[in-house]
């Protein structure tokens, strides 16, 4: 049996110690942001609730949709129920490669419909690029800001009114509060719902409280000032156009924020196959964005833009954690001949894993309590959430070795609830 030399053991132990330091700092960074995110911004709450501020912002509400006849009417009706003055917003539906009644439903609800047919470029990013190329050529459009929704969303009646108040007080880019339409449908749906809540409270809110830019506007339910893209239009190439667009805006000096009073409801995938397909697409897109944006972020950081270090870490955390994991596995394999399987050693090695599992479950239970959710709908998903999280992290690691993947639509249904 081969026994590792003292030099090999020393190198591996040193690498493991350095990895532990990096891991500890990374966890401290995330825990600190999460703790700060427990407390909503009072200044933002005052702006959101300032009903004395007259409505002023002209919004272009844009809905990219591909064969969404089952759910589009629900979103259109929620927009027609907005408390915001109807003359101050226009709804545009991008019927992208549709073969169903999506365009007809949009027209029945008085939306302006832009029909697009291009089988070679089928992603949401290409649809938005095509739309804005036409939009900025039309001199009759005079909107101040755009709001992007997915067709399966439902907008809270005050969504646009809240976004208007923040836009008037200087906010140029903001993500709304993503809630779930269907956490009761399956454990998968509940786990996805928890992820959205976790992102809002423990990731977005903390960064907003600290004055750091959001690392992603999360794809839907977000607003941005149109002059951010008025000159060059919308140009994204990755399969997660939201991550890429957010980083583009940050590099221009924008600070995307989180507005929890601007609520909307999003439909979650309910089956393993759809969840894995969606997560794989997000994972590959995040890796694409990392390869594209890390050099640009580093360039500005070296010029003194230290605030961008947080955005840089957002993109680098998966490869860094992957490297730490590889070092840990390699060390354990090399030292395997020296391993003595006594009870104390086994306990010492498994205790951190068990502790992490319990900590994640506890944080989910705290999250559900903070958000006022009924535990009954989320209980099973909360217990298994660390496993879902581990699977998603594994997919993000594997996506580092994949340059591209085919975009495929996720099917949606019309049934939904908002009382949770």
């Amino acid at each position: 049996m081969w026994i590792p030399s003292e030099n090999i053991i020393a190198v591996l132990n040193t690498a493991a110690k350095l990895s532990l330091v990096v891991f500890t700092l990374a966890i401290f960074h995330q825990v600190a942001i999460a703790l700060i995110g427990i407390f909503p911004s009072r200044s933002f709450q005052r702006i959101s609730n300032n009903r004395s501020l007259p409505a002023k912002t002209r919004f272009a509400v844009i809905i990219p949709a591909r064969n969404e006849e089952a759910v589009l009417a629900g979103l259109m009706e929620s927009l027609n129920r907005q408390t915001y003055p109807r003359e101050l917003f226009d709804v545009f539906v991008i019927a992208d490669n549709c073969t169903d009644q999506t365009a007809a439903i949009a027209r029945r609800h008085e939306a302006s419909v832009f029909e697009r047919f291009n089988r070679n470029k089928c992603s949401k990013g290409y649809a938005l690029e095509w739309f804005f190329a036409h939009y900025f050529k039309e001199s009759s459009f005079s909107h101040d800001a755009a709001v992007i929704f997915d067709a399966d969303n439902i907008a809270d009646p005050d969504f646009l009114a809240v976004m208007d108040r923040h836009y008037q007080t200087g906010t140029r880019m903001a993500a709304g509060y993503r809630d779930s339409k269907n956490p009761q449908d399956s454990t998968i749906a509940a786990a996805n719902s928890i992820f959205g809540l976790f992102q809002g409270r423990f990731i977005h809110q903390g960064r907003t409280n600290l004055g750091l830019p959001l690392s992603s506007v999360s794809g839907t339910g977000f607003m941005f000032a149109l002059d951010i893209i008025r000159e060059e239009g919308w140009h994204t190439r990755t399969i997660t156009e939201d991550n890429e667009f957010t980083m583009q805006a940050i590099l221009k000096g924008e600070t995307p924020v989180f507005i929890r009073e601007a609520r909307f409801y999003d439909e979650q995938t309910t089956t393993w196959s759809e969840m894995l397909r969606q997560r794989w697409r997000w994972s590959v897109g995040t890796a694409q964005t990392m390869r594209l944006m890390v050099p640009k972020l580093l360039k500005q950081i070296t010029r003194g833009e230290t605030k961008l270090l947080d955005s840089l870490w957002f993109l680098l955390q998966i490869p860094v954690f992957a490297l730490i994991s590889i070092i840990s596995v390699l060390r354990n394999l090399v030292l395997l001949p020296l391993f003595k399987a006594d009870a104390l050693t086994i306990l010492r090695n498994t205790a951190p894993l068990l502790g992490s599992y319990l900590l994640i479950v506890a944080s989910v239970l705290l999250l559900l309590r903070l958000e006022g959710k009924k535990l009954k709908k989320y209980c099973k998903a909360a217990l298994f959430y660390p496993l879902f999280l581990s699977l998603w992290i594994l997919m993000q690691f594997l996506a580092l070795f994949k340059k591209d993947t085919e975009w495929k639509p996720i099917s949606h249904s019309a049934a939904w609830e908002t009382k949770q």
Side-chain angles (χ1 to χ4, degrees), residues 290-319:
M290 178 194 69
R291 288 189 285 266
L292 183 65
M293 291 298 173
V294 163
K296 297 178 181 180
L297 287 168
L298 283 171
K299 187 176 180 179
Q300 291 210 17
I301 289 170
T302 57
R303 294 175 177 173
E305 297 289 337
T306 56
K307 195 160 119 176
L308 299 183
L309 284 169
D310 180 71
S311 301
L312 178 67
W313 172 245
F314 170 79
L315 293 176
L316 288 179
Q317 57 186 323
I318 294 302

Side-chain angles (χ1 to χ4, degrees), residues 369-389:
R369 182 174 180 82
L370 289 171
E371 300 298 338
K373 301 302 179 184
K374 295 178 180 178
L375 185 58
K376 183 179 179 181
K377 290 184 179 180
Y378 297 89
C379 185
K380 188 184 293 185
L383 292 176
F384 288 100
Y385 191 71
L387 299 179
F388 285 108
L389 199 59

Side-chain angles (χ1 to χ4, degrees), residues 39-297:
F39 307 99
S41 170
R42 291 185 178 180
S43 62
F44 274 43
Q45 286 179 331
R46 284 194 293 271
I47 294 171
S48 296
N49 298 325
N50 183 11
R51 297 181 181 276
S52 64
L53 193 65
K56 182 179 178 182
T57 311
R58 285 189 51 80
F59 289 111
V61 180
I62 302 161
I63 308 165
R66 181 177 179 183
N67 291 339
E68 297 285 10
E69 62 182 6
V71 291
L72 181 59
L75 173 58
M76 298 301 299
E77 289 168 8
S78 73
L79 292 172
N80 289 334
R81 290 194 297 267
Q82 291 292 298
T83 59
Y84 200 63
R86 190 61 183 85
E87 65 273 13
L88 288 180
F89 71 95
D90 297 299
V91 180
F92 301 89
V93 173
I94 310 170
D96 188 35
N97 290 292
C98 290
T99 57
D100 66 355
Q101 295 300 306
T102 294
I105 291 171
R107 290 189 179 98
R108 283 203 297 269
H109 287 84
E110 300 180 351
S112 297
V113 180
F114 286 67
E115 294 191 74
R116 172 182 179 268
F117 298 95
N118 188 329
R119 296 295 180 182
N120 296 320
K121 296 181 177 181
C122 295
S123 71
K124 182 177 172 182
Y126 285 124
L128 288 169
E129 179 178 354
W130 177 86
F131 168 78
F132 280 114
H134 287 76
Y135 175 89
F136 287 125
K137 289 179 181 177
E138 179 54 64
S139 60
S140 63
F141 296 148
S142 58
H143 302 96
D144 303 303
V147 173
I148 309 292
F149 281 117
D150 285 344
D152 60 294
N153 295 161
I154 298 293
D156 184 84
D158 285 334
F159 186 95
L160 292 178
V162 170
M163 284 296 187
D164 162 66
R165 293 162 195 158
H166 285 272
Y167 184 85
Q168 288 196 55
T169 51
T171 295
R172 290 171 47 79
M173 189 169 180
Y177 179 101
R178 182 201 298 256
D179 212 334
S180 176
K181 291 165 65 175
N182 60 324
Q184 71 288 335
D185 283 358
S186 69
T187 303
I188 299 292
N192 286 322
S193 302
I194 289 171
F195 177 80
L197 296 172
F198 194 98
Q199 186 180 51
R201 173 72 75 157
F202 291 150
I203 298 178
H204 287 351
Q205 187 67 67
R207 283 182 166 84
T208 293
N209 290 351
L210 289 169
L212 296 172
L214 304 188
S215 299
S216 172
V217 289
S218 304
T220 184
F222 67 94
M223 177 273 294
F224 63 92
L226 277 167
D227 61 23
I228 294 175
I229 63 168
R230 193 176 299 278
E231 289 186 6
E232 71 276 14
W234 179 289
H235 296 288
T236 57
R237 289 295 175 266
T238 67
I239 207 162
T240 48
E241 76 294 325
D242 54 327
N243 287 352
E244 184 182 351
F245 177 65
T246 305
M247 290 297 168
Q248 288 175 350
I250 290 172
L251 287 167
K252 292 177 181 179
E254 303 295 339
T255 301
V257 300
F258 175 61
I259 302 176
R260 62 180 294 112
E261 294 79 24
R263 291 177 174 257
F264 68 100
Y265 300 88
D266 187 38
E267 185 174 320
Q268 310 302 321
T269 54
T270 60
T271 65
W272 275 103
S273 60
E274 287 196 333
M275 184 267 285
L276 292 173
R277 181 152 50 90
Q278 185 182 61
R279 292 283 167 177
W280 177 246
R281 187 180 76 208
W282 292 350
S283 298
V284 172
T286 300
Q288 290 174 331
T289 305
M290 178 194 69
R291 288 189 285 266
L292 183 65
M293 291 298 173
V294 163
K296 297 178 181 180
L297 287 168

